[in-house]
């Protein structure tokens, strides 16, 4: 690709290629009198180059400025920053004119008498100039543009003061005392927008308020005295304000003088400066900042400029430039910038800065001109370089790039940014769609720095991970166009670089070894030892000749480094075409760097070694590290260095052609044997490792070798890919001629879901108690979250996506085989996984034979294939919904395995011997019964693993949706065996150590039984299943009278009857042994049925009975022994108790309604419960139908808050209502106001008992939840406007804050995930009702849910646990004390997807469940 400088007509005086006179016309130098050059000629040339030379073309776009002599801008001065539209530039303009006139005086020797001659060559001259400049600048009194006229302001204030005294009302709003308090700070100078001298002002109305007290005393003191005192004080305030402004302006002026002086020193004095010598009219002290474009105006003096400043304002235009270290996103010409006044601009005197405004309407002609300029350019050229991109307004560049890409969609856009910050660079890259950023090797300050640039911009590291076809969008380094030197910088021999001409070749070689776009500037290869100035240079480049006769007029392959550059360019092209996409950079010494290009497909390498020539007197022995590498050298691609032909090379510029140094030659050798190169000692140090020792490697030398891989490496890679192929074939169900695939498939088919739980998961605590292994501990990282393979998969997927080869896990894998040994040994510890363990061992062997630097990459390839096979196996065993579901459904189904496993310290209660026979493992023939962990890692083993409530809330999603019906039945029966007091336990404890302190677990158990019957064909047969009752009576010991069998239906009925009778008991072993925080009263458990309403009631002020069960534990804060939430249904008198809301009471309704239907069909052997009311002489049967109807009649009457605010028996305290159109969480709390709290529980009831809800009320109530409770991942557990709300849970909070200490706010704000699942399901229930009257409601609801589920999908994939948490803090923020993997969170979100699918099957509506990206695709 060839880069053309702008082809438009240029500034007639400077001739600079970047000072464009007319953006819409071509440079007349391309034309002759007989043959004018047109855009068609240019277009034909570009096409010819593309078609014949296979060469693309790129040119510059200059949007930020136009030439100072452009005629069009005189017709449209609004397109510039001038003194009319930017009057804040007036002080800067006057300062600029002053400097110009001083420069004129110096040039004409008018100041020589005060020590300032025209020939400035001594620092003393500049010191004298500085003193003179300061004196003259002070005469300008620039501060007057910012200050007030004190006399005029006093007169204006005096008039306002008399009006105030005469009783005129002040118009400033607010109380006098308040305004008086703030008046002093508000009194400030208001800048005159036109920037006229002493025309700034102050607000006299605000000023009057400073003197409120004095004005109030006007009737008691002499009026004239008060006025005089006020005026005197106000005058002093004005003087002070003016002095503040003057001081600030003086700081700017001092900075301006210093910058002027520094510029003069650079141009005339400094060793590394321009060294102009003499001040002339053509070479002034400094460049001007402003140009006056008014026709016919010829300045004669500073006074003349001042006189004409206002009438010429719109023609006095600001020049462009750049500001060192400034924010590139800030426009330095706007009023909030002092760049022009402070003279901080490195000015381009031949360019006027263009003023676009915020939108095209602000400068129509300019936008239209630049749009046409863009169109003309991109219609011809294949790419553009955005000149001065960092100073071009971003919104302008964005607009033009959109236009350009509409014309040429494949436009290549490149820019050179001087932001010194990659983050800022990326803003431009992303906003403008830049394809590449120009990077320059010549800007490196050492060989090590050059190596850093090659590493940073030159490709992926060697051993990089293979990326999937679908990737997570992640930040990356902007693609580079890596130049050895750019066109607008000095030659390599410039003193600031500290290099010699011999350095050209090492620099070029390092660039060529980079895996990115590379480029060069004409003249670099030809040893031109000076900057080719695009403004001043008029000579022609030399022409090409194979046999040049004049080395100044012609160049050839023997010129400069062209011969070596030809090899380097061919090699760069070859490596790009051949897939050498990986790079490794190694500093062999301070002056020697090696760069390796590696092909990840063939494992061939090209290694380049370059030595800096910044010091030609260095020893020919570089004293560097040896170059060691795996493989065999196939050929030496290049051995070369630049050599001088004489000790003192001279140089003379040709008058017509750009010529380079001819006193140097490049010695270039290719395709030579490494052993034939003098000074290189080659040896074989191991069977696979070779080494080169550099005994003779002079400065400026380049060596490039090609390396073939060892046979052992090739064989090992082949074996790895055989394993991967066999695994992939097995996953795809293909047959293999070798039989490997069939054998693997058979092995995988024998695995049970509990085996897969072992293979993939087990947190640290689980694995420790089962096998004793624990999780694998990675040095400098910590233990993996799972002992199973998912622990590895999770970290590797994150490492892969960021290509983080420096990750501690990669370092550990490279350092040794410990992870391989741990994995195989752990799997071998499980008898049922013997075959799988042997298989994993076999596929690990070839990976361990690879070079250590390649092991992470190939280990990841193998792990990725293995993970997909395991996942596919799991999905095939998790039912049709999982195997055929959406990516999110698949991943959630996979998550269910995390919680369902066997842990010896937490087993289910015994089943009958005949039933246990049905749960034998196919390999070990041991009983294979899994339990459900409430969450990992907090609830992983022992007594804390199995919770009654959590188990049955999660059972539907974890086991029924995934068709694990057999295991679901075992869990239902196991808990039935533990029934005591009509309750199932909160903590299971194998039944023997159970704790019966929750009142809702039994109702969730009932719900799970109902769900089981609806999912499983002939599911009601479970009622007949026999189970082993642990407690024959409430007070008996476990299995006290031997084993007692009983059908499930009888146990169910017992639980109902006990509630009908009333439950009242004290927990066994009550005291600190079972709960160190609960008070004595809290160990009393009470529950029953209110037969006036049918509602469940229970609890007291000291215990917790539902899922919102946080018990206070802080003595310091005073909440110890106190329940944190009222949903425990508190006793508040001996007569009436609170009714269970929270969705639990509604569970009762749907359950008894369901049993009523089953009883009528003779599928359940009982009709109802026996009830004894005080007014009845004996017990009577209350049928399930009667009980259900009773609840239905009373439900909305008592639980819905309609906002009428009228006192009734139902709402005795309407004044406490905080939110209306909600459903209460409970009725009859001991703290009356908590009845009216908005909490997330009633959607549960909509799902399980929709018949209780009228559609209209349910709709508005769900809208209240959507508005006030829905968070990114969960539902707030309390409305944020509630006094008790605090959304951030911190369990170790040791403060004295009653509401939060020791995590007391666990259920008073934090956002729990599982209720959100019920909310989304409730929304579907109501949407289905509304669909007939409002078509499209279902689709709209599903789309809303899909939007929410996207957050869950991302959350699941972004954590090593590959799961969903228990809860989050405010607005979805991570809660460090939450379980990162929670059973009911996974279950309830999976339930949503299942319900959407079921609704689709019923209604056949169009829906999409968010695809995002899946584990399968990654």
């Amino acid at each position: 690709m060839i880069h053309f400088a702008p082809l438009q007509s240029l500034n007639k005086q400077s001739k600079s290629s970047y000072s464009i006179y007319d953006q819409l016309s071509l440079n007349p130098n391309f034309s002759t009198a007989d043959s004018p050059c047109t855009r068609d000629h240019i277009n034909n040339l570009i096409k010819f180059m593309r078609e014949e030379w296979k060469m693309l073309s790129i040119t510059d776009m200059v949007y930020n400025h136009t030439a100072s002599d452009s005629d069009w801008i005189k017709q449209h001065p609004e397109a510039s920053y001038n003194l009319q539209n930017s009057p804040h530039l007036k002080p800067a303009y006057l300062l600029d004119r002053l400097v110009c006139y001083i420069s004129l005086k110096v040039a004409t020797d008018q100041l020589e008498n005060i020590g300032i001659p025209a020939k400035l060559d001594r620092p003393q001259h500049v010191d004298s100039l500085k003193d003179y400049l300061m004196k003259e600048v002070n005469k300008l009194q620039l501060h007057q543009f910012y200050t007030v006229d004190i006399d005029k302001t006093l007169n204006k204030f005096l008039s306002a003061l008399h009006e105030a005294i005469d009783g005129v009302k002040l118009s400033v709003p607010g109380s006098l005392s308040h305004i008086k308090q703030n008046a002093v700070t508000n009194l400030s100078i208001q800048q005159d927008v036109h920037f006229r001298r002493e025309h700034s002002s102050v607000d006299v109305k605000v000023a009057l308020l400073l003197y409120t007290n004095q004005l109030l005393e006007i009737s008691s003191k002499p009026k004239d005295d008060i006025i005089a005192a006020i005026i005197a004080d106000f005058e002093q305030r004005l003087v002070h304000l003016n002095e503040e402004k003057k001081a600030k302006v003086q700081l700017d002026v001092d900075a301006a003088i210093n910058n002027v002086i520094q510029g003069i020193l650079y141009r005339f004095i400094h060793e590394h400066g321009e060294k102009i010598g003499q001040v002339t009219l053509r070479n002034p002290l400094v460049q001007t900042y402003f140009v006056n474009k008014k026709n016919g105006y010829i300045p004669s003096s500073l006074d003349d400029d001042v006189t004409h400043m206002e009438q010429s304002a719109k023609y006095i235009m600001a020049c462009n430039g750049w500001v060192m270290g400034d924010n590139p996103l800030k426009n330095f010409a706007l009023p909030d910038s002092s760049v022009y006044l402070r003279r901080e601009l490195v000015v381009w005197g031949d360019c006027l800065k263009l003023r676009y405004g915020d939108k095209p309407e602000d400068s129509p002609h300019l936008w239209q001109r630049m749009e046409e300029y863009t169109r003309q350019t991109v219609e011809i050229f294949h790419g553009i370089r955005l000149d001065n991109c960092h100073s071009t307004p971003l919104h302008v560049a964005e607009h033009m790039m959109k236009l350009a890409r509409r014309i040429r969609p494949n436009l290549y856009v490149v820019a050179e940014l001087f932001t010194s910050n990659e983050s800022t660079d990326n803003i431009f890259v992303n906003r403008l769609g830049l394809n590449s950023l120009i990077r320059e090797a010549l800007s490196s300050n050492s060989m090590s720095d050059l190596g850093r640039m090659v590493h940073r911009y030159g490709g992926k590291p060697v051993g990089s991970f293979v990326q999937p076809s679908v990737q997570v969008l992640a930040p990356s380094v902007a693609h580079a166009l890596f130049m050895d030197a750019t066109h607008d910088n000095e030659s390599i021999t410039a003193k600031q670089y500290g290099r010699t001409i011999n350095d050209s070749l090492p620099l070029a070689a390092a660039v060529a070894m980079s895996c990115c776009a590379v480029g060069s500037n004409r003249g670099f290869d030809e040893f031109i030892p000076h900057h080719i100035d695009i403004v001043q240079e008029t000579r022609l480049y030399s022409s090409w000749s194979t046999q040049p006769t004049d080395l100044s007029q012609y160049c050839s392959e023997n010129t400069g480094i062209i011969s070596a550059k030809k090899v380097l360019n061919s090699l760069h092209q070859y490596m790009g075409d051949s897939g050498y996409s990986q790079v490794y950079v190694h500093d062999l010494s301070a002056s020697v760097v090696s760069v390796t290009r590696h092909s990840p497909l063939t494992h061939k390498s090209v290694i380049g070694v370059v030595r800096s020539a910044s010091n030609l007197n260095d020893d020919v022995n570089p004293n560097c590290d040896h170059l060691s590498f795996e493989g065999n050298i196939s050929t030496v691609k290049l051995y070369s260095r630049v050599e001088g032909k004489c000790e003192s090379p001279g140089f003379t510029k040709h008058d017509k052609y750009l010529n380079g140094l001819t006193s140097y030659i490049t010695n270039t050798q290719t395709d030579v044997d490494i052993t034939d190169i003098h000074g290189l000692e080659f040896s074989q140090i191991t069977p696979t490792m070779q080494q080169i020792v550099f005994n003779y490697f002079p400065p400026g030398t380049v060596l490039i070798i090609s390396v073939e891989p060892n046979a052992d490496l090739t064989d090992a890679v082949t074996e790895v890919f055989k394993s991967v192929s066999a695994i992939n074939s097995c996953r795809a169900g293909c047959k293999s001629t070798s039989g490997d695939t069939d054998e693997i498939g058979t092995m995988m088919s024998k695995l049970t879901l509990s085996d897969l739980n072992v293979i993939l998961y087990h947190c640290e605590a689980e694995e420790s108690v089962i096998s004793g292994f624990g999780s694998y501990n990675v040095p400098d990282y910590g233990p993996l979250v799972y002992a199973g393979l998912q622990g590895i998969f999770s970290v590797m997927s994150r490492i892969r996506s960021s290509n983080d080869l420096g990750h501690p896990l990669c370092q550990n894998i490279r350092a040794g085989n410990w992870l391989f040994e741990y994995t195989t040994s752990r799997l071998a510890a499980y008898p049922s996984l013997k075959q799988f363990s042997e298989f994993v061992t076999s596929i690990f062997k070839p990976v361990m034979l690879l070079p250590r630097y390649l092991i992470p990459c190939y280990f990841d390839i193998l792990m990725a294939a293995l993970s997909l096979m395991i996942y596919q196996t799991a999905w095939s065993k998790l039912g049709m919904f999982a195997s055929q579901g959406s990516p999110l459904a698949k991943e959630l189904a996979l998550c269910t395995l995390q919680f369902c496993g066997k842990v010896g310290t937490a087993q289910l209660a015994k089943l009958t011997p005949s039933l246990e026979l049905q749960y034998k493992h196919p390999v070990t023939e041991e009983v294979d019964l899994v339990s459900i962990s409430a969450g990992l890692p907090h609830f992983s083993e022992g007594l804390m693993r199995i919770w009654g409530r959590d188990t049955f809330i999660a059972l539907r999603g974890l086991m029924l949706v995934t068709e694990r019906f057999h295991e679901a039945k075992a869990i239902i029966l196991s808990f039935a065996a533990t029934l005591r007091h009509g309750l199932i336990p909160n903590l299971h404890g194998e039944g023997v150590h159970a704790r019966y302190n929750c009142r809702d677990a039994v109702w969730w158990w009932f719900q799970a039984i109902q769900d089981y019957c609806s999912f499983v064909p002939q599911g009601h047969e479970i009622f007949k299943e026999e189970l082993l009752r642990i407690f024959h009576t409430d007070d008996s010991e476990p299995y006290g009278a031997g084993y007692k069998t009983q059908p499930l239906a009888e146990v169910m009925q017992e639980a109902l009857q006990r509630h009908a009778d009333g439950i009242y008991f004290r927990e066994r072993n009550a005291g600190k042994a079972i709960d160190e925080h609960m008070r004595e009263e809290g160990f009393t458990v009470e529950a029953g049925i209110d037969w006036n309403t049918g509602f469940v009631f229970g609890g007291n002020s000291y215990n917790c009975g539902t899922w919102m069960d946080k018990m206070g534990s802080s003595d310091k804060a005073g909440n110890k022994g106190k329940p944190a939430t009222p949903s425990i249904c508190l006793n508040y008198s001996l007569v009436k108790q609170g009714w269970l809301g929270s969705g639990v009471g509604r569970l009762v309704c749907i359950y008894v309604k369901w049993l009523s239907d089953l009883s009528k069909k003779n599928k359940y052997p009982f009709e109802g419960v026996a009830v004894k009311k005080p007014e009845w002489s004996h017990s009577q049967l209350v049928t399930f139908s009667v009980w259900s109807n009773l609840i239905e009649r009373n439900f909305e009457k008592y639980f819905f808050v309609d906002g009428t605010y009228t006192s009734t028996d139902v709402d005795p305290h309407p004044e406490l209502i905080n939110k209306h159109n909600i459903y209460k969480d409970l009725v009859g709390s001991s703290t009356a106001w908590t009845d009216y709290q908005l909490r997330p529980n009633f959607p549960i009831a909509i799902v399980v008992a929709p018949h209780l809800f009228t559609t209209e009320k349910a709709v508005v109530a769900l809208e209240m939840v959507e508005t006030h409770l829905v968070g990114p991942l969960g539902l707030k557990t309390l409305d944020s406007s509630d006094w008790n709300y605090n959304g951030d849970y911190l369990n170790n909070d040791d403060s004295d804050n009653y509401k939060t200490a020791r995590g007391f706010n666990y259920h008073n704000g934090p956002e729990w995930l599982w209720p959100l699942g019920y909310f989304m399901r409730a929304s579907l229930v109501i949407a289905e009702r509304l669909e007939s009257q409002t078509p499209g409601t279902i689709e709209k609801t599903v789309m809303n849910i899909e939007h929410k589920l996207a957050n869950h999908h991302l959350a699941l994939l972004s954590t090593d646990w590959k799961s969903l948490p228990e809860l989050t803090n405010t607005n979805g923020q991570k809660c460090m004390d939450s379980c990162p993997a929670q059973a009911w969170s996974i279950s309830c979100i999976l339930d949503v997807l299942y319900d959407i699918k079921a609704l689709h099957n019923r209604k056949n509506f169009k829906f999409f469940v968010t695809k995002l990206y899946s584990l399968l695709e990654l």
Side-chain angles (χ1 to χ4, degrees), residues 269-427:
I269 305 294
H270 284 165
E271 182 67 23
H272 298 303
E274 297 179 44
K275 303 278 285 188
I276 292 174
Q278 184 147 336
V279 182
T280 65
L281 296 180
R282 184 174 178 83
N283 292 307
L285 289 172
V286 291
Q287 294 294 327
T288 182
Y289 270 35
F290 294 88
V291 172
N292 192 324
K293 297 281 291 180
K294 187 174 183 180
N295 291 333
Y297 177 69
I298 301 176
S300 58
S301 67
L302 184 59
D303 291 338
D304 193 28
D305 284 326
V306 172
T307 302
H308 288 84
M309 183 169 66
E310 294 301 330
Q311 51 189 277
S312 303
K314 68 179 179 179
Y315 297 111
I316 300 174
M317 302 175 183
C319 294
N320 197 24
W322 69 287
V323 185
M324 295 182 64
D326 195 32
N327 179 0
L329 301 176
K330 181 180 178 181
N331 186 344
F332 56 75
L334 294 179
D336 61 349
S337 170
S338 300
V339 163
Y340 281 91
L341 177 59
R342 294 170 65 90
R343 306 285 296 189
E344 293 172 336
L345 189 69
V346 180
V347 70
W348 304 320
D350 61 346
C351 299
L352 298 177
K353 186 171 180 62
L354 293 175
R355 178 179 175 271
Y356 289 88
D358 297 328
K359 54 190 180 302
E361 293 79 8
D362 293 339
S363 188
H365 176 82
L366 177 59
W367 285 79
Q368 291 167 12
R369 167 176 286 271
M370 291 307 178
E371 286 173 351
E372 179 60 19
Y373 167 48
T374 301
R375 185 187 64 78
Q376 290 183 4
T377 302
V378 300
E379 282 179 348
I380 296 175
F381 289 93
H382 306 102
I384 56 176
R385 171 187 174 272
L386 294 178
D387 180 66
N388 201 28
C389 181
H390 52 280
S391 293
T392 302
L394 256 179
H395 67 288
V396 173
E398 273 185 301
H399 177 87
M400 300 304 168
M401 291 307 97
K402 288 177 181 177
L403 171 64
R405 288 189 168 101
R406 283 198 295 269
I407 298 168
R408 187 182 288 271
N410 293 327
L411 184 72
Y412 178 66
V413 183
V414 64
E416 187 172 17
L417 295 172
F418 299 99
T419 68
S420 303
N421 184 293
E422 282 195 13
S423 296
T424 306
D425 286 353
N426 288 338
I427 294 174

Side-chain angles (χ1 to χ4, degrees), residues 1170-1183:
V1171 176
K1172 176 69 168 67
K1173 286 188 176 182
E1175 62 271 23
W1176 295 349
S1177 59
H1178 58 276
S1179 297
Q1180 297 182 20
L1181 177 68
V1182 175
T1183 66

Side-chain angles (χ1 to χ4, degrees), residues 286 369 486 671 1010 1169 1230 1371:
V286 291
R369 167 176 286 271
T486 58
D671 297 322
Q1010 183 177 351
V1169 293
S1230 62
N1371 199 30

Side-chain angles (χ1 to χ4, degrees), residues 1201 1211-1213 1216-1218 1222 1224 1232-1238:
V1201 181
D1211 279 324
H1213 299 287
L1216 298 177
I1217 294 175
N1218 182 34
I1222 67 170
K1224 297 176 185 177
W1233 63 272
T1234 59
D1235 275 16
Y1236 305 100
Q1237 290 180 312
L1238 174 57

Side-chain angles (χ1 to χ4, degrees), residues 834-850:
K834 181 177 182 295
Q835 186 180 4
F836 184 79
S837 172
E838 292 171 349
F839 166 70
V840 172
T841 301
S842 69
I843 63 176
F844 277 174
K845 284 181 180 178
V847 179
M848 293 186 284
L849 296 175
L850 291 166

